[in-house]
């Protein structure tokens, strides 16, 4: 089995594990982590697809996609976490009022 | 050959186990730390697959900065069992099995597609390498990011800008004043590491032209400098810092788009740099991006528009 295929299956397993937790967890922070693991799985698929063996240079276009993806993902994560913190503050203030 | 196969299997096994362990961890802190370790192992796998540029970004941004953001949120929610599996509602057996079945079918289909697609897959690699000489840089990934597909990268910077606006609107700067002060070991660490990190950021930026590195990796390292400064309160932003911070956040978008308009004015395509000076164009844009990305990432970590209250002596 080729190296690329092996790492592709690893990426698919990451997607499976992350998807399972993403759907079942009710905790928001854990859901954000699951989303990040999910994205790592997809990125692994792209990186494996770009691999052309130990001698040849890898395809740089999927690499650029993944680089863009990583930055967009950290942005999404930061926004989601800010929403979680805000929600937490609001819940706290409701707890205080009652 | 066999040795590499063993390495690959151990590495992939470790990655999948770490993902499972992180997402099944009972404690929120444990989950985040395992997730950060997972990021480093994924980066190692990508080095193995000859993607050092992406591996650098994953280690710095996907593991480091994301980990810092997660830990900050975890700390914020402490006492409310954030991220703890104990706080997680247990799904019913039927739901558990249903989801498991769905995930199995989906991943099975993905695996089948992977086996069936023709290899090697069609790619643009030949086109990239054929045009590398006119791109102004020798690193193909930087050439794709900053020249061939510069428009994508411009929009990526816009996303980063939009998010820092959202986060600053949502955040409450007062909420984090309750955080405890860090001890003297931290300051010793900061004094040693910060100057080196600034140096590494500059080195990565310059390196991006011909070797793995570039604006995003450099920006992430410089952003981490900002995070360490904020953590140790070596720098405490006040209301007076809002305007300069916002200007630096916008520098990436405005500078990049401005460069695009300048190329239009020169009679080229949007972001089509004159080939003889492409290296200079890319380096200037990347330098602006690095500073802007670093400030934005540190701004995301700070998580709120700084409030007006000056630091009182009793806080110190």
């Amino acid at each position: 089995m080729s190296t690329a295929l092996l790492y592709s299956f690893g990426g698919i397993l990451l997607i499976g594990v992350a998807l399972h937790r993403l759907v079942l967890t009710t905790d928001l922070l854990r859901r954000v982590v699951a989303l990040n693991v999910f994205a790592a799985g997809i990125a692994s698929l792209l990186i494996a697809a770009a691999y052309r063996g130990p001698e040849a240079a890898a395809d740089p276009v999927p690499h650029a996609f993944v680089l863009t993806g990583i930055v967009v993902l950290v942005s999404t994560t930061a926004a989601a976490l800010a929403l979680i913190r805000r929600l937490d503050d609001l819940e706290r203030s409701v707890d205080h009022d009652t | 050959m066999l040795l590499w196969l063993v390495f690959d299997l151990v590495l992939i096994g470790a990655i999948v186990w770490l993902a499972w362990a992180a997402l099944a961890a009972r404690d929120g802190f444990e989950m985040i730390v395992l997730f950060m370790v997972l990021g480093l192992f994924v980066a190692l796998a990508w080095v193995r697959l000859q993607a050092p540029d992406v591996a650098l970004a994953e280690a710095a941004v996907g593991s480091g900065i994301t980990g810092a953001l997660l830990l900050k949120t975890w700390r914020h929610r402490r006492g409310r069992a954030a991220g703890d599996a104990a706080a997680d509602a247990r799904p019913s057996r039927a739901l558990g099995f249903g989801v498991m079945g769905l995930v199995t079918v989906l991943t099975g289909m993905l695996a089948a597609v992977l086996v069936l697609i023709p290899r090697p897959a069609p790619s643009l690699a030949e086109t990239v390498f054929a045009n590398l000489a006119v791109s102004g840089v020798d690193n193909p990934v930087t050439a794709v990011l900053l020249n061939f597909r510069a428009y994508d990268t411009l929009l990526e910077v816009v996303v980063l800008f939009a998010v820092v606006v959202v986060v600053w609107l949502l955040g409450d700067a007062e909420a984090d004043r309750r955080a405890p002060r860090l001890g003297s070991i931290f300051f010793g660490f900061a004094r040693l590491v910060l100057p080196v990190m600034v140096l590494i950021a500059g080195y990565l930026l310059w390196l991006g032209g011909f070797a793995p590195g570039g604006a995003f990796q450099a920006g992430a390292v410089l952003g981490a400098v900002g995070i360490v400064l904020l953590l140790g309160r070596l720098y405490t932003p006040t209301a007076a810092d809002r305007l300069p911070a916002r200007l630096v956040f916008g520098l990436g978008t405005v500078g990049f788009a401005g460069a695009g308009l300048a190329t239009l004015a020169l009679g080229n395509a949007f972001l089509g740099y004159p080939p003889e000076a492409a290296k200079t164009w890319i380096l200037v844009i990347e330098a602006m991006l690095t500073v802007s990305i670093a400030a934005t990432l540190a701004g995301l970590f700070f998580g709120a528009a700084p409030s007006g209250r000056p630091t009182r002596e009793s806080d110190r």
Side-chain angles (χ1 to χ4, degrees):
Chain A
M1 198 189 305
S2 77
T3 310
L5 208 56
L6 212 57
Y7 279 93
S8 301
F9 286 138
I12 290 178
L13 282 176
L14 277 190
I15 292 174
V17 168
L19 196 61
H20 181 250
R21 294 304 295 172
L22 188 64
V23 175
L24 285 181
T25 189
T26 51
D27 179 69
L28 295 174
L29 196 62
R30 193 168 295 259
R31 205 170 275 175
V32 172
V33 174
L35 186 73
N36 272 274
V37 175
F38 191 98
I42 295 173
S44 292
L45 282 181
L46 278 167
I47 297 290
Y51 185 62
R52 295 274 182 276
E55 256 79 74
D59 187 347
V61 180
H63 289 186
F65 286 169
V66 176
L67 261 173
T68 307
I70 287 172
V71 175
V72 172
L73 179 70
V74 78
S75 308
T76 314
T77 304
L81 292 176
L83 283 169
I84 290 175
R85 290 195 297 266
R86 180 82 180 139
L87 200 61
D88 185 58
D89 288 341
L90 292 176
E91 279 171 0
R92 252 180 235 270
S93 67
V94 170
D95 287 351
H96 268 285
D97 292 346
T98 51
Chain B
M1 260 337 266
L2 184 70
L3 216 59
W4 274 117
L5 186 66
V6 171
F7 175 83
D8 291 341
L9 286 175
V10 169
L11 184 55
I12 293 169
I15 286 171
V16 175
W17 180 81
L18 275 169
W20 178 262
L23 291 174
R26 298 204 65 79
D27 176 51
F29 182 73
E30 191 185 331
M31 167 179 75
I32 296 167
V33 172
L34 282 171
F35 168 74
M36 292 171 80
V37 177
L38 168 71
L40 296 178
F41 272 75
V42 168
L44 184 61
W46 292 354
V47 172
R48 161 80 175 112
L49 293 173
Q50 307 219 334
D53 293 88
V54 199
L56 270 174
E58 170 67 14
V61 181
S63 177
I65 304 278
T66 305
L69 290 170
L70 285 168
L71 282 172
K72 180 196 169 78
T73 308
W74 176 77
R75 173 67 178 67
H76 188 99
R77 299 185 71 190
R78 211 155 111 185
R80 298 175 65 90
D84 290 357
D88 222 343
R90 284 199 75 81
S92 68
R93 281 181 79 86
L95 185 65
F97 278 120
V99 171
M100 188 62 110
L102 203 70
V103 169
T104 312
V105 171
L106 207 77
T107 49
M109 276 159 60
L110 258 177
V113 168
L114 265 176
V115 174
L116 293 176
I117 52 169
R119 284 179 191 274
S123 88
L124 289 166
E126 287 72 29
T127 325
V128 170
F129 285 109
N131 290 294
L132 203 54
V134 292
S135 74
V137 287
D138 296 324
N139 177 359
V141 178
T142 305
V144 173
L145 275 177
L146 268 305
N147 199 334
F148 304 146
R149 296 185 64 91
Y151 189 61
D152 280 10
T153 311
L154 169 61
L155 292 183
E156 172 185 352
V157 176
V158 174
V159 169
L160 210 53
F161 179 63
V163 166
V164 79
V165 171
V166 168
V167 169
W168 274 36
L169 280 173
L170 286 172
D172 174 15
E174 294 303 311
D176 291 316
R177 284 181 180 268
R178 295 189 297 265
R181 291 189 58 77
L182 293 154
S184 53
I185 291 178
F186 180 84
F187 292 106
F189 164 80
R191 198 167 295 130
L192 273 176
V193 161
L194 288 183
V196 180
M197 279 169 80
V198 174
L199 202 65
I200 289 175
Y203 179 60
L204 278 173
L205 171 63
W206 174 250
L207 211 59
F210 51 90
F216 289 96
Q217 293 88 340
V221 172
L222 208 56
V225 171
I227 290 177
V228 172
L229 287 176
L230 288 170
L231 269 179
R233 299 200 203 164
L234 296 163
Y235 164 58
T236 312
T238 58
D241 295 328
R242 286 187 189 188
L243 183 66
R246 286 181 174 136
L247 288 176
V248 182
F249 294 161
L251 175 69
T253 306
V254 174
F256 209 158
L261 293 178
T263 53
L264 279 182
L266 286 174
N268 295 342
F270 185 68
L271 289 170
Y273 322 119
E276 64 279 3
K279 167 107 189 173
T280 316
W281 280 79
I282 289 178
L283 207 62
V284 170
I285 291 173
E286 280 205 304
M288 286 191 295
L289 286 184
T290 302
V291 173
S292 180
I293 290 166
T296 305
L297 290 175
L300 288 177
F301 180 79
F302 189 70
S307 61
R309 276 205 334 209
T311 322
R312 288 169 313 197
E313 274 310 303
S314 57
D315 286 346
R316 292 198 161 267

